[in-house]
Amino acid sequence: MKPIPPLLDHLVLATPDLPATVAEFASRTGVTPAPGGVHVGLGTRNYLVGLGGRSYLEIIGPDPEQPEPVELRPFGVDRLAGPATVTWAISPPDLGAAIATARERGYDPGPIHPMSRRTPDGTLLRWRLTDSGSGHPSGLVPFLIDWGGSVHPAASGLPVTPLLEVTATAPEPDKVRPLLSALGTELALGEGPFMISFTVRTPEGPVTFG
C-alpha cells in the first residue's frame, strides 16, 4: 500500500472558521497557507498549501464577504463543529475515460460539473469535477477533477509542506476498497469510524491533521 494515494490531486480540509484554521496550520507547520480565491455564489473561499509534486491541500471555509448562499456551502462546512479532512480528489489523465471505466467496474462517480474561481490577482481558473455529493457519503472515495487549460494550483508557486502519508479508517474497509480500485487509486484503510488523516513534513518533524 502506497503512503500517498495514486493520482492524488488535493486533500480538502474544511472548517467553519477559516482564519482560525489557517492560523493553526501555520502555527503547527511553520508554513502559512496562501490565499486561493473565492467561490462566487457558494459562500466559500479557500487557502492552499503545496504538498509536493502535483498535489496540494485546500483549506476551505465560509466567506464572510459573500451573502449567505441559497443552498448549504460545499463539503458540509455549515455542519462542522471544527476543522476536518472531509474528502480528497484525484486527477486522472482522461476524466471521461476514468468515469467510463469506473462505471464498468460498478461505481458511478456522478455527473461532471464545470467550476471556477478567481485568484487574488484576478486570474480566472476553470476546472471540471464529478459531483462529490454523488460519491460515497464518508468522503473516503475521492471525486475526480480535470483542470483543463488552467494552471494547476500546485504549479502556481504555493508554499509547500511535503506530504508524507494519507491514512483513513472506515467501519467496513472492505466495502470501500473496491470503489477506490474502480477509480484506479487506493488509500491506506484501517477499521474504525469514518475519518481521513494526513501527515506532512515540517522543520519540527511530522505533523498530522485529521
Side-chain angles (χ1 to χ4, degrees), residues 189-201:
L189 270 174
E191 188 172 343
F194 287 124
M195 187 174 68
I196 304 172
S197 300
F198 66 93
T199 302
V200 294
R201 185 170 68 241

Side-chain angles (χ1 to χ4, degrees), residues 38-159:
V38 174
H39 306 106
V40 177
L42 298 180
T44 54
R45 68 168 57 233
N46 63 18
Y47 282 73
L48 309 177
V49 180
L51 296 175
R54 193 181 163 86
S55 300
Y56 69 98
L57 170 68
E58 176 184 23
I59 306 175
I60 185 170
D63 179 8
E65 296 183 10
Q66 291 189 59
E68 286 290 316
V70 176
E71 299 181 354
L72 292 176
R73 292 177 176 87
F75 302 117
V77 165
D78 298 290
R79 299 186 293 272
L80 292 174
T85 308
V86 294
T87 192
W88 53 300
I90 59 172
S91 182
D94 185 321
L95 182 61
I99 292 172
T101 298
R103 288 172 176 164
E104 290 172 359
R105 295 173 176 172
Y107 176 69
D108 186 357
I112 297 174
H113 295 286
M115 298 284 291
S116 67
R117 67 172 167 83
R118 287 200 179 274
T119 64
D121 66 7
T123 301
L124 181 64
L125 300 182
R126 298 181 184 274
W127 64 93
R128 299 182 302 149
L129 52 72
T130 55
D131 185 358
S132 59
S134 299
H136 196 275
S138 68
L140 269 59
V141 181
F143 60 97
L144 284 64
I145 190 166
D146 175 15
W147 288 93
S150 291
V151 175
H152 191 276
S156 61
L158 294 176

